Amino acid sequence: MTRSISGTRHRAALLGGVALATALLVSGCGAGQIAETAAKAPSVSGVNVDSPAGSVLIRNLHVVYQGPEGYPAGGEAPLVMSLYNQSDEPVMVRITATPAAGPDNQSTLVSGSSVVFTDLTTPAVPPASPSAPVSPTAPASPTATGTASPSAPAASASPTTPPAPATRPAVIEIPALGSFAISGTGDELLQVEGLNAALTPGKSVTLTFEFSNGEPPLVTTAPTGVPLSPAPRATSVTGDDGH
């Protein structure tokens, strides 16, 4: 009986030592490692919103970030978004500018005059039309003093002005169960024109989405995007003495 109790205690101590060693080994392997969730990229800065009946999903809606100065009043601001059609029929989406509502929102909301697609590809400058053939100049008739009168100077040709980029209304057709992505880069941009105030980081531009399937219009805001990296700090100016 004494031997049995002694053997049981010995096996329990041995098992306890093995468990402790295993726990130390596991904790040692995990030391210094970063959790997987800590390495994930932050969420996008855009707005996610659905049409009133949920047939069209608007995702990652925002204005392209352009530094701390943003976009000046009267200028254009390119948009980024993705549109998803959840229905079995094609849907036409029209995007227009919306006036900022209320005096309390004037500090954060900006409106534009219109929303258009802008083609940034430089159109070919049409060649100058050939000038009319020059007729031979008749000899100058002598004046009373016997000297020829000078002819009038030829008109100087005006410089050719390149045509402005072509624009079209912001009307998008999304196929059934399809999508349409606007990246904010490339040869064609979706832009808010005629900003009534400077659109700087922290401010949003108001937009209206209209749908061809009979859903009520959707009014929402597009915030200014955030930079992918922090802006550099301003360096302090030192005097000649180093202070």
Side-chain angles (χ1 to χ4, degrees):
M1 186 66 178
T2 303
R3 290 180 180 178
S4 177
I5 294 175
S6 176
T8 301
R9 290 177 177 175
H10 178 71
R11 286 193 299 271
L14 180 61
L15 291 175
V18 172
L20 179 59
T22 303
L24 292 175
L25 179 62
V26 171
S27 62
C29 292
Q33 292 185 355
I34 301 175
E36 182 182 356
T37 54
K40 290 184 177 180
S43 303
V44 295
S45 59
V47 167
N48 296 333
V49 64
D50 302 346
S51 63
S55 65
V56 177
L57 311 181
I58 304 170
R59 296 292 180 263
N60 194 26
L61 170 63
H62 66 277
V63 177
V64 176
Y65 178 77
Q66 187 178 263
E69 68 280 359
Y71 300 90
E76 301 85 23
L79 297 169
V80 172
M81 72 184 78
S82 296
L83 305 176
Y84 299 91
N85 183 5
Q86 302 295 97
S87 66
D88 295 329
E89 299 292 336
V91 177
M92 301 287 292
V93 180
R94 182 183 181 90
I95 309 173
T96 56
T98 308
D104 295 338
N105 295 331
Q106 290 182 355
S107 61
T108 57
L109 292 185
V110 177
S111 62
S113 60
S114 61
V115 181
V116 297
F117 279 103
T118 303
D119 184 5
L120 299 182
T121 57
T122 304
V125 178
S129 58
S131 57
V134 180
S135 59
T137 306
S141 58
T143 60
T145 58
T147 58
S149 59
S151 59
S156 59
S158 59
T160 304
T161 302
T167 61
R168 61 183 177 90
V171 179
I172 303 168
E173 181 176 4
I174 314 175
L177 301 176
S179 62
F180 189 94
I182 302 167
S183 64
T185 59
D187 293 336
E188 188 175 54
L189 301 179
L190 180 63
Q191 298 191 111
V192 183
E193 292 188 321
L195 299 173
N196 69 335
L199 184 58
T200 54
K203 293 185 178 182
S204 302
V205 62
T206 52
L207 304 171
T208 296
F209 290 78
E210 299 174 273
F211 310 95
S212 63
N213 57 5
E215 290 191 58
L218 170 68
V219 179
T220 186
T221 59
T224 305
V226 297
L228 299 178
S229 59
R233 293 184 178 181
T235 55
S236 59
V237 179
T238 58
D240 296 337
D241 56 354
H243 298 288

